[in-house]
């Protein structure tokens, strides 16, 4: 039985290492896309295509474009925070630290960042739609809220599991 558990742990470590590399790639990709969007919005060049709607900021005042650039930067910052916590979580898993307080904390932080992503992505598209000439209507997506809430609940369960494991380790 012990060798089966070791084999499972090795698989978890290997897959987690691969997923951690993917997270690093996503961090780099989202950073580049975010910087491009901020420059595009703030400078008024180009346009942003969101949910098959094109938003151009060329005709907006500099102050409005800078405000939209700040909202865009915050939105992508939250997305980077999501990827960062996943990266850290997979780093813990790749070291075999699965049911630990640190892993639970990273999972909880990922859930919170997912909730923030839902808020910021809504505010981002809302700010783009309200400043568009003419003003555009849009369809909001609230799936990040559900995902974030579920992840926070799972983190709570894992926290309880860590407590139980610690109690069992102390029992002789």
């Amino acid at each position: 039985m012990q060798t089966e558990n070791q084999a499972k742990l090795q698989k978890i470590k290997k897959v987690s290492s691969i997923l951690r590399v993917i997270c690093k790639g996503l961090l780099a990709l989202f950073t580049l896309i975010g910087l491009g969007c901020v420059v595009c919005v703030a400078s008024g060049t180009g346009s942003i295509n969101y949910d098959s709607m094109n938003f151009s900021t060329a005709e907006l005042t500099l102050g409005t474009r800078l405000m939209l650039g700040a909202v865009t930067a915050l939105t992508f910052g939250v997305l980077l925070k999501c990827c960062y916590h996943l990266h850290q979580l997979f780093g813990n898993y790749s070291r075999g630290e699965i049911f630990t307080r640190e892993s639970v904390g990273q999972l909880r932080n990922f859930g919170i960042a997912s909730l923030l992503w839902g808020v910021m992505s809504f505010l981002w598209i809302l700010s783009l739609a309200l400043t568009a000439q003419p003003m555009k209507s849009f369809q909001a997506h609230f799936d990040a809220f559900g995902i974030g809430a579920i992840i926070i609940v799972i983190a709570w369960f894992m926290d309880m599991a860590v407590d139980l494991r610690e109690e069992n380790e102390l029992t002789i």
Side-chain angles (χ1 to χ4, degrees), residues 1-162:
M1 188 68 162
Q2 188 71 2
T3 57
E4 286 179 28
N5 288 342
Q6 288 294 1
K8 288 178 184 177
L9 184 60
Q10 289 305 318
K11 285 181 187 178
I12 289 171
K13 287 179 175 182
K14 182 178 181 180
V15 170
S16 296
S17 295
I18 293 168
L19 291 173
R20 190 165 197 233
V21 170
I22 291 171
C23 284
K24 282 182 185 181
L26 288 174
L27 279 166
L29 179 67
F30 292 152
T31 299
L32 292 174
I33 291 172
L35 287 173
C37 286
V38 169
V39 168
C40 178
V41 167
S43 69
T45 58
S47 62
I48 293 179
N49 188 335
Y50 184 92
D51 229 10
S52 299
M53 292 187 302
N54 250 355
F55 296 97
S56 176
T57 59
E59 66 279 352
L60 300 177
T61 64
L62 178 62
T64 304
R65 289 195 319 258
L66 291 177
M67 187 261 323
L68 285 175
V71 172
T72 302
L74 285 172
T75 302
F76 277 92
V78 169
L79 184 59
L80 290 172
K81 181 174 174 52
C82 285
C83 286
Y84 172 78
H85 289 298
L86 270 181
H87 177 267
Q88 294 296 104
L89 180 65
F90 289 133
N92 290 345
Y93 288 174
S94 68
R95 291 185 301 276
E97 301 169 6
I98 298 166
F99 289 105
T100 63
R101 296 264 179 232
E102 173 66 23
S103 294
V104 170
Q106 290 300 331
L107 186 62
R108 183 182 304 109
N109 288 338
F110 174 68
I112 292 167
S114 295
L115 288 173
L116 287 173
W117 166 249
V119 170
M120 287 309 300
S121 63
F122 174 77
L123 290 176
W124 184 48
I125 190 64
L126 177 66
S127 65
L128 287 171
L130 289 176
T131 58
Q133 301 298 328
M135 195 180 307
K136 296 183 180 186
S137 63
F138 66 95
Q139 182 177 356
H141 301 282
F142 296 104
D143 48 350
F145 292 107
I147 291 169
I150 289 169
I151 290 171
I152 291 170
V153 169
I154 291 170
W156 179 74
F157 282 122
M158 283 185 64
D159 196 29
M160 295 298 155
V162 169

